Amino acid sequence: MQDLMDRHWHHLPEAEVADFLDADAERGLDRLEAEERQRRFGPNALTPRKGRGPLLRFLDQFNQALVYVLLAAILVKLALGGYVDAGVIFGVVLLNAIIGFVQESKAASALDALSRSLTTEATVVRAGERRRVDARELVPGDLVQLASGDKVPADLRLLRVRNLRVDESALTGESVAVEKRAAVLDHDTTLADRANMAYSSTFVTFGTASGLVTATGDNTEVGRISELIAGASPLETPLTRQIGQFSRLLLYGILALAALTFMIGLLHGESWVDMFMAAVALAVAMIPEGLPAVLTVTLAIGVARMARRHAIIRRLPAVETLGSTTVICSDKTGTLTRNEMTVQRLWVPDDEYALSGVGYAPEGELTADGARVELDARPALAELLRAGLLCNDSGLREDGGLWRIDGDPTEGALLTAAAKAGLDAAAEHGRAPRLDAIPFESEHQYMASLHDGTSPMVYLKGSVEALLSRCDSALAQDGTVVSLDPEEVRVRVEALAAQGLRVLAFARVDGGGRSAIDHPDLASGLTFLGLQGMIDPPRVEAVRAVAACRRAGISVKMITGDHALTAAAIAAQIGLGERTGQRALPAALTGRELAELHDDDLIDAAAETAVFARVTPEQKLRLVEAIQARGAVVAMTGDGVNDAPALRRADIGLAMGLAGTEVAKEASDMVLTDDNFATIEAAVEEGRGVFDNLTKFITWILPTNAGQGLVILVAVLLAQPLPVLPVQALWINMTTAVLLGLTLAFEPKEPGLMDRPPRPPGSPILDAVLLQRILLVGLMLLAGAFGLFEWALSQGASVEQARTVAVNVFAVGQSFYLLNCRSLRWSMFRIGVFSNPWVWAGIAAMAAVQLAFTYLPIMNRLFHTAPISAGYWVAVLAVGLAIYAVMGLEKRLRPRGAG
């Protein structure tokens, strides 16, 4: 029966569909047959992508170049009997792995909880009985009933349809609900036009229907798109790429220096064993053991901050990736817009009105030429709004402070417009109770309703073409009936459509003496009332967020399945330009036009165009790849199934937690739990702050490693005793990284962070200015540590005391330099001396452990140190103050943009 899943169900008559599925279109499957098919076809659910188990996820934390170096160092130390040193290094590596594993597990658990909270039930007929079941239990051949508000549980071939409209925006990107019918369609009918099919993960907005399940789980259209996701390989993030490159360069440099140290010592006549130990000491001293841990902790802090702002980070580097983003590709419906149709313009002969407010909340103002309008003085306008209110099968209600519609979004917009203007729905229905109605049908393109009361009336709403041909008069502004000018109406329709508005026409005819109506009754003699133009408006917060992103130098592009005119109108409202290059392109490129472009032309179009409309899922994926082809770091936002492949392929995918489909969430790197596009602005800022703090840490820690390595290298060159032993170098690296370096992860974001352009994708982590600072501080640490080591020996100090002085030079020098690194542009007095109290706590803790390192007997035995007098401390503090003063002066002399 598996071969049946590939049939063109929309092209088959109902009887053949039932026959092929071996199903009963009246009574449904019997219980035993349903159970047997459940065993054959499995649950009606997408097969989850096989994720990595806990062990693999834990081992993956070790898959970093720096960690490989540390693991090699552990093996060397174990081979040479350095069990304490090996244990300390392994402890650092293990701590880093545990932090990363726990953080990723927390994110996965949060998303799993979100997924479990969203369950779907279906109404199914089995053995002639109607029942509600878990949608996972559906099988091909089941007879399913749909009603307004239902989520379609599987792909269905519709058999009986009553005024059914389905919101397919999650699948096709179409913002307006699609009317369905049961008629057989042509074989080559496209997915978006298959009116006799209802697809899994779409939503019924109006009407009822029944249909037979034709596909479940992976065989549905949603399942087909899910396969696209699996085929779109994820990329490394900018951070992981650059840390990987940086680690490899560092590794090569350390190995080269270690080899150089070894060879120089041999040339001086030293034993190869001593020189091998010196080379190991240099390697251990120069490896920044704290870098992987601080990288993970800094990203984890970013995750915690984003969680407080309604975002779940599914992969740690995603926090930083947002900070490097150069292009944001956003879906329109539900992401940039509210996914709530809103009437914005009303027109009656010789007059036009604007209606403020967005969404379904009945809050807004009716104006003409900027002046507020009262309905009492505008009978024609009141009748236009009354027609939209009464010729309507939907309902508007308040639920927990939010206004929702029961039924079709278009009709909901008409109800809201009437309420904004002051019409009371209950009162209007009370004065004009409905006697009969003709539902909307695509053949006739209108709906009509007959109402009783003091002035019985038939109201109609529908397409402009359908109603104009039936009208021979119009209602003037003062309420009198005048002759109709069809050309005037068409001009206004074109003007409204040019603004991206969907236009509905309204008419009426006297209903006196009627108890029922039919199409022949409405063939002519109608009075034209006017037009209502509506649109799915932009989110107010999205407009601000897009503006902020563009100020930050980030290009924003809209990629939607909706119509080009609508997409262009929304783009204009949120501030997206028609094009960003010099090539003459239309305001919106359509999917049809994209399909005709070769790869090179597509890359040009993707770079130069801001709006893409009527785009298929495959084209969204291709567009993201085209934008990436020029080196852009791409973030893709979206909530629909049709967004998922591009979410997966983008450098970072952002899915909506409330309106987003499970497929989109699974494909994303970050889930916005409040569906607020404005959170993206905060996320970009947070990501930039994370990268800033990581850069500060690297700029701060490398001089210690460089200084220690240079001290050992100079000592070997001069055939002098090592000023710093391997275990002492390890002590410096561990204590300074944990007690001092980690405090930079808590540094607040600097002012003006979002006024900077994005970091160029190919730019190094450290620019020339920062490398000069690192070299300068490293040389000062070298001079201070080696100089005071030799000075202490000349003053009669023991080698242990001299080494203790040298180690304290690194600890104190790094404490002062930490204050410089709180900002790479400004003095700490500019950003706030106590704006990061963790810095001062870390410095105090560092002072305490160094005193223990210097004076406690057990520490003296473990680390080969000895107590020193106060005079040595004065010299050590002088070196620290000199570093702070020189680096502060360097920042003042450089332009503020440098570094």
Side-chain angles (χ1 to χ4, degrees), residues 794-834:
S794 69
Q795 295 297 310
S798 66
V799 174
E800 288 78 11
Q801 287 177 313
R803 284 174 173 153
T804 303
V805 172
V807 170
N808 278 307
V809 167
F810 283 104
V812 172
Q814 285 296 84
S815 297
F816 277 97
Y817 184 46
L818 181 72
L819 301 177
N820 290 112
C821 287
R822 290 189 57 200
S823 172
L824 300 178
R825 292 171 172 77
W826 309 100
S827 161
M828 71 170 176
F829 298 101
R830 170 73 178 268
I831 64 173
V833 175
F834 299 105

Side-chain angles (χ1 to χ4, degrees), residues 122-123 130 144-148 150-154 156 158 164 166 198-199 204 207-211:
T123 301
R130 184 173 180 269
V144 173
Q145 294 183 341
L146 300 176
S148 180
D150 285 350
K151 180 179 181 180
V152 179
L156 307 177
L158 300 175
L164 184 71
V166 178
Y199 292 107
V204 178
T208 60
S210 62

Side-chain angles (χ1 to χ4, degrees), residues 648-724:
R648 178 70 172 165
R649 186 62 177 85
D651 293 277
I652 178 168
L654 312 174
M656 302 299 160
L658 296 177
T661 61
E662 294 306 310
V663 177
K665 293 172 195 171
E666 180 64 24
S668 69
D669 299 287
M670 185 168 82
V671 178
L672 306 180
T673 59
D674 62 352
D675 285 14
N676 194 338
F677 185 89
T679 304
I680 296 174
E681 177 196 353
V684 170
E685 185 179 20
E686 200 66 56
R688 291 187 176 189
V690 165
F691 195 89
D692 258 15
N693 290 347
L694 284 173
T695 304
K696 293 171 186 176
F697 174 79
I698 294 172
T699 305
W700 170 83
I701 198 174
L702 289 187
T704 299
N705 302 109
Q708 288 180 94
L710 290 173
V711 163
I712 294 171
L713 183 60
V714 170
V716 171
L717 286 172
L718 300 179
Q720 294 294 314
L722 295 180
V724 178

Side-chain angles (χ1 to χ4, degrees), residues 388-423:
L389 172 63
L390 295 177
C391 187
N392 198 310
D393 287 327
S394 297
L396 182 66
R397 59 185 172 85
E398 187 177 14
D399 182 11
L402 297 176
W403 287 88
R404 306 184 186 280
I405 59 162
D406 295 319
D408 182 75
T410 298
E411 292 193 328
L414 299 177
L415 295 176
T416 302
K420 288 178 181 178
L423 293 183

Side-chain angles (χ1 to χ4, degrees), residues 477-492:
Q477 178 56 45
D478 59 2
T480 59
V481 176
V482 297
S483 60
L484 175 65
D485 183 355
E487 187 58 31
E488 181 187 14
V489 175
R490 293 189 182 95
V491 169
R492 294 313 309 158

Side-chain angles (χ1 to χ4, degrees), residues 187-254:
H187 182 276
D188 60 353
T189 304
T190 61
L191 177 71
D193 296 323
R194 292 176 187 172
N196 60 8
M197 298 291 295
Y199 292 107
S200 178
S201 296
T202 60
F203 291 88
V204 178
T205 64
F206 186 77
T208 60
S210 62
L212 290 175
V213 174
T214 60
T216 59
D218 293 333
N219 293 312
T220 62
E221 286 296 323
V222 171
R224 184 187 65 82
I225 294 178
S226 184
E227 291 176 3
L228 287 176
I229 301 167
S233 57
L235 296 175
E236 287 183 305
T237 68
L239 181 65
T240 56
R241 282 195 293 263
Q242 291 194 310
I243 290 294
Q245 294 167 359
F246 174 73
S247 300
R248 286 190 291 273
L249 289 174
L250 191 62
L251 172 61
Y252 299 149
I254 290 171

